[in-house]
Every structure is written in structure tokens, then in C-alpha cells.
Amino acid sequence: MATAELKAPDIVIRGRKVVGGVTEGEALVTSQTISGWGGVNPLKGEVIESHHELKGVSFANKILVFPGAKGSSGWSGVFHMTKLTGCAPLGMLFTITTTKAALGAVVLRVPTMTDFDRDPVEAIATGDWVRIDADKGEVQIWKGGRA
């Protein structure tokens, strides 16, 4: 399907670039922060943290939408390992900017944004199709996927 024939996004959110670039894919959304050290299996890109709403779910090849990082400074190392194992997210959108989350995005080298005009955790649902253009500071969302 040619780009001109594609349906316009249902929602557009603006924010600030953390890591530049463009990517798109299916969203995986959580309202809970993610612990890198001890909270993620880097060999599967899977959340393993006890009592986390995404426990047992992989963020590999998804757009990870989450409030931010928690825990130790090992967060970036664990997320870098997901890149090395081919289990990293395609892009990240987070609302709470910490050095852990920012450094994690930098070592992943995936388009990442923060400081939004609308909370992506509330605007995006798991399964929505998301296109991040971090260089333009724009996130496009197609509710329920992209037809």
C-alpha cells in the first residue's frame, strides 16, 4: 500500500527527542515503571519482575510505552544486553526522565522520546500501531493497529 493510501493517525502527540530516528511498530504499554536489574530477562526481552503487570511479557520488537526506569544503575547494561540478543524494543516512550532511562535509550540506539504534550501511557494502548519520529518530535498513533 502506498504511503498516500494509508489511513491518517488517530492521535498525534508531540514531545522531546532523547534519541533521534524514526521507527514504527506495535505498542506495549504499562502504567508501571520497569526495573532493569532483576526485572528484565535480557535473553528474551521479557519483564520478570514479581507483581509487575507485564510479568512474562516480552517487549522485543515492540514500541515500549512506560513511565520510566526504576532500580539500580544496571538498567542500561541490562537493556544493552537485550540489543545484543536481538530482544530490544524498537523504540521507547517514557514520561519520567531519569539518567537510567536516558542512558538506556542511548545504549539501545532506538528512537526515544519524553516530555509529551499528552501522556502516552494514557493515550496509547497495547496493540495500537505507533510511529515515532523523534527528530520531528512527533508520535503518531493508530488505535487498534494500522490497517
Side-chain angles (χ1 to χ4, degrees):
M1 188 180 290
T3 303
E5 298 173 36
L6 295 176
K7 178 183 149 200
D10 297 304
I11 300 170
V12 176
I13 297 174
R14 299 219 170 264
R16 182 175 58 84
K17 169 177 73 173
V18 177
V19 175
V22 178
T23 191
E24 62 182 87
E26 183 180 339
L28 178 64
V29 182
T30 179
S31 62
Q32 298 176 327
T33 54
I34 295 176
S35 176
W37 189 258
V40 170
N41 176 345
L43 301 177
K44 295 181 178 180
E46 180 180 300
V47 177
I48 59 172
E49 181 181 347
S50 298
H51 309 294
H52 197 284
E53 65 187 354
L54 292 182
K55 186 173 194 275
V57 177
S58 175
F59 50 70
N61 301 308
K62 307 273 183 174
I63 303 295
L64 183 59
V65 184
F66 64 118
K70 69 177 176 182
S72 75
S73 59
W75 204 89
S76 61
V78 171
F79 272 73
H80 178 65
M81 183 64 73
T82 67
K83 179 131 183 137
L84 296 177
T85 61
C87 295
L90 295 172
M92 298 192 301
L93 305 174
F94 54 79
T95 56
I96 303 167
T97 305
T98 62
T99 55
K100 288 182 258 320
L103 182 57
V106 169
V107 299
L108 280 176
R109 294 186 186 136
V110 297
T112 303
M113 293 176 57
T114 193
D115 295 341
F116 301 97
D117 61 0
R118 181 173 176 188
D119 187 346
V121 174
E122 294 177 5
I124 302 170
T126 294
D128 289 349
W129 193 261
V130 175
R131 181 177 191 275
I132 300 172
D133 186 333
D135 297 322
K136 286 185 180 177
E138 183 177 271
V139 179
Q140 296 176 324
I141 301 131
W142 288 266
K143 301 302 288 177
R146 190 162 180 182

